[in-house]
Amino acid sequence: MNEKATLLVGGKSYELDVITGTENEKCIDIQDLRSRSGYITMDPGYGNTGSCFSSITYVDGTNGILRYRGYPIEQVAEKASFVEIAYLILYGELPKPRRMKAFSEALNEHAALHTNLEHHFSGFPKDAPPMAILSAMLNLVACFHPEVLEVHADGPEFDRTAALLLSKVRTISAFAYRMATGKPFNHPNPNLSYCANFLHMMFSEPYQDFVASPVVERAMNLFLVLHADHEQNCSTSTVRVVGSSRANLFSSVAAGVCALWGPLHGGANTGVIKMLEDIKASGKSITSYIDMAKDKNSTFRLMGFGHRVYKNFDPRSIILKKQVHDVLQELHLDDSLLEIALELEAATLNDDYFLSRHLYPNVDFYSGILLRAIGIPLNMYTVMFAIGRMPGWISNWKELHQHNQRISRPRQIYTGYTERPFVPTAER
Ligand code: ACO
C-alpha cells in the first residue's frame, strides 16, 4: 500500500503522497499543497527540502556513507582514476576499456584553448582571484564554441560538450596560475594522464619539463576523485537552478564556480590553511581558537568543521587524513600544520560544543595539507575543488534536462509594508 501523510491545517485535512527512494529515504510530496490549500512550506537554506530526484550520488550523513552511482567512496578512492570516475558520474556505469580509451581521447582532443582566447588572460590584474578568472573564462570559452550554447543533454553533442568542459577547465585553471605568476603558458601534452598533464601545465618551465612523481600524481588523482560529486550541495544546486532556466552548460557551471568560491563551501579549503597558519604564527593556544569559535559574539568559525548533511563523520575527511600522512611520509616532508590540525581535531572531540552540534572535520579540513604537500599554491585550492567537482555539476545539469525539471522558483513569505500611498519627492 502506498504510504500517505496527512496534514491538518486551517481546519482542513490534506492527504499527501509519501515518496520512497531506493535507499529508503522518505519524503512528503507537497508539490500541489499551495494550489490545494493556499499554504506554502518554509525552509530557509533548504535543509529539509528535496529539490529533485537523482540517481547520481547517495549520501547518508548519519552513517558517513557516500557512494557514486552505488560505488562506495572508500573503494573508489583506493582504486579509481579521476577520468573513469568522471565517466561513471556522467554516464552511470564504469567504462569498459574501449569506452575509457575513447573518453580519454576526447579529453585530449579538447584540452587546448583557442589561441584567440589566450590573450584574454592578460586582461586580468595579476592578483585577480583564480576563481574569478575561472568563472569568467568558462563563459568566454563558450563564445568560441557557439555550438555548446545549444542545450543538448544527450547524444554526441552532449558527449562532446562534456568532454570539452572537463578538459578545458584544467587548461584554464593552469593558465590562470601561469598568468598570475607572469610565466609563459604550457600547452597540454596528450601523452600525459589527466593529472600529470595539469601539473605539467602548471609547473613546466621553458628550460625544464615538470615530471610529476607517481606519489604526487596519485595524491592529485585522489583529491579529484573525492571531490567529484556530492549531491545537492550549494554549488550543484546553483548549477541546477541556473540550468533550470535552460541556460547552457557553460554558464550553469560558471555559476557553480561562483557558489563554490564562498568560504562556507569550497573556499573553506583555503580558509583552513590560513587558519592553521594563523594559529602557528600567533603562538596562541588551540584552546583560544576553539573558544573564539564557540563565542557567539565572534564571527569566527573553525574552518573545515561542520557539515549540513554529515552529522557523524565525513568519510572523505577520514580518507584524506590517512592519505596526508602517507603522502608526507613518501615525499619525506614534515608539515607542522598537520600537527596543529591533528591537535585541533583532538581538542574538538573532547568539547561538548562541537559534540552536541555534531561538528566534525569535513572534506576541506585535511585537503589543503594534501595540496600543500604536492606543491599547489594556496590561491589555487578552490580551483582544484572546481576541477574535481566538474563531473558532478555536468551530470546534475544533464539529469535536470533529462527529467525536464521545471524552472526553479521558490516562494517567500513577505514581511514588508502592506500597501501605502506613494509620496512625491517634495512632500517627503
Ligand atoms: N565552527 C564553530 N561553530 C560552528 C561551525 C564551525 N565550523 N559550524 C557550525 N557551527 C555551529 C553554528 O554556530 C550553529 O550553532 P548554534 O546552534 O549554537 O547556533 C550550529 O553549529 C549549526 O550550524 P549551522 O551554521 O546552522 O549549520 P549549517 O548546516 O547551516 O552550516 C557549514 C554548515 C556551512 C558547513 C558550517 O558548519 C560552517 O560554516 N563550517 C565552516 C566552513 C566549512 O568548513 N565549510 C565547508 C563545508 S564542506 C563543503 O562545502 C565542501
Side-chain angles (χ1 to χ4, degrees):
M1 198 181 74
N2 287 342
E3 199 180 341
K4 299 278 181 195
T6 306
L7 176 72
L8 290 172
V9 66
K12 285 192 180 158
S13 156
Y14 301 91
E15 195 171 77
L16 301 163
D17 287 340
V18 171
I19 300 172
T20 308
T22 50
E23 290 285 352
N24 213 28
E25 283 178 305
K26 289 182 185 284
C27 83
I28 299 168
D29 186 347
I30 55 147
Q31 286 182 77
D32 61 1
L33 181 65
R34 184 177 176 279
S35 59
R36 283 167 66 196
S37 70
Y39 286 84
I40 64 166
T41 56
M42 179 55 72
D43 185 20
Y46 311 128
N48 203 39
T49 296
S51 62
C52 61
F53 295 96
S54 180
S55 54
I56 305 169
T57 290
Y58 173 65
V59 177
D60 172 348
T62 312
N63 297 305
I65 293 171
L66 166 59
R67 296 187 201 124
Y68 296 155
R69 303 280 189 185
Y71 295 106
I73 193 68
E74 292 78 9
Q75 293 177 26
V76 161
E78 201 186 319
K79 299 180 181 150
S81 77
F82 176 64
V83 173
E84 64 186 336
I85 288 310
Y87 185 98
L88 170 73
I89 287 174
L90 286 178
Y91 298 107
E93 295 296 339
L94 287 166
K96 292 201 162 63
R98 195 173 49 82
R99 298 288 306 158
M100 179 70 181
K101 186 166 173 284
F103 189 53
S104 300
E105 282 169 3
L107 295 184
N108 274 334
E109 187 193 328
H110 296 296
L113 302 183
H114 193 293
T115 47
N116 289 352
L117 225 159
E118 290 182 8
H119 78 270
H120 286 276
F121 284 94
S122 55
F124 289 97
K126 287 281 169 271
D127 53 358
M131 286 297 272
I133 300 178
L134 179 58
S135 176
M137 293 306 273
L138 284 169
N139 270 315
L140 194 53
V141 168
C143 305
F144 284 79
H145 298 273
E147 73 284 1
V148 305
L149 299 173
E150 297 296 320
V151 171
H152 297 289
D154 273 309
E157 293 86 0
F158 170 80
D159 296 345
R160 193 177 165 280
T161 308
L164 196 138
L165 189 46
L166 276 173
S167 196
K168 290 202 195 309
V169 66
R170 174 186 54 164
T171 314
I172 296 170
S173 302
F175 280 24
Y177 168 70
R178 298 295 291 181
M179 185 278 299
T181 46
K183 295 180 171 181
F185 297 141
N186 294 313
H187 292 282
N189 177 348
N191 299 317
L192 298 175
S193 72
Y194 188 93
C195 293
N197 205 351
F198 172 75
L199 294 165
H200 147 70
M201 286 192 273
M202 286 281 287
F203 301 126
S204 279
E205 298 302 346
Y207 52 88
Q208 192 170 37
D209 279 344
F210 178 88
V211 182
S213 74
V215 184
V216 167
E217 204 181 324
R218 190 164 41 79
M220 180 178 159
N221 181 70
L222 175 82
F223 175 91
L224 297 182
V225 165
L226 290 180
H227 288 78
D229 192 37
H230 209 246
E231 53 122 295
Q232 303 313 314
N233 57 82
C234 177
S235 55
T236 303
S237 298
T238 300
V239 170
R240 276 195 180 251
V241 168
V242 175
S244 77
S245 74
R246 304 305 182 255
N248 71 78
L249 178 58
F250 281 69
S251 53
S252 303
V253 300
V257 169
C258 295
L260 187 72
W261 192 358
L264 298 188
H265 190 16
N269 60 12
T270 315
V272 170
I273 296 297
K274 286 185 179 158
M275 175 183 76
L276 296 175
E277 278 175 339
D278 193 59
I279 296 175
K280 186 178 166 187
S282 73
K284 288 188 196 156
S285 65
I286 295 276
T287 320
S288 67
Y289 279 84
I290 289 192
D291 289 344
M292 195 159 54
K294 287 156 52 171
D295 182 357
K296 292 296 170 198
N297 295 317
S298 157
T299 54
F300 176 76
R301 286 185 164 199
L302 280 192
M303 298 313 281
F305 275 81
H307 199 275
R308 173 62 63 78
V309 181
Y310 292 121
K311 295 299 174 199
N312 201 335
F313 63 93
D314 179 338
R316 301 166 301 176
S317 159
I318 309 269
I319 296 168
L320 277 166
K321 183 177 174 181
K322 180 176 178 315
Q323 284 298 321
V324 162
H325 278 290
D326 293 354
V327 168
L328 287 176
Q329 212 168 33
E330 286 179 74
L331 293 173
H332 308 292
L333 292 173
D334 190 11
D335 190 343
S336 57
L337 295 194
L338 177 59
E339 300 309 317
I340 299 172
L342 292 169
E343 237 186 284
L344 198 58
E345 182 186 353
T348 59
L349 292 176
N350 286 317
D351 192 304
D352 189 53
Y353 175 95
F354 291 88
L355 293 175
S356 63
R357 289 170 179 75
H358 309 286
L359 302 171
Y360 298 96
N362 57 49
V363 67
D364 292 320
F365 192 60
Y366 288 106
S367 67
I369 301 177
L370 186 82
L371 292 176
R372 206 168 126 94
I374 64 171
I376 304 293
L378 183 61
N379 67 347
M380 290 292 288
Y381 288 8
T382 313
V383 171
M384 299 298 292
F385 193 151
I387 298 173
R389 185 53 54 85
M390 199 52 81
W393 289 337
I394 301 173
S395 191
N396 273 274
W397 182 92
K398 173 182 171 153
E399 196 176 63
L400 98 91
H401 285 282
Q402 287 174 328
H403 292 181
N404 198 20
Q405 196 174 305
R406 294 173 80 193
I407 189 166
S408 294
R409 205 308 186 182
R411 293 271 175 172
Q412 65 167 21
I413 292 294
Y414 176 69
T415 58
Y417 287 107
T418 53
E419 184 176 339
R420 52 182 180 155
F422 178 76
V423 184
T425 316
E427 294 169 30
R428 280 175 220 159

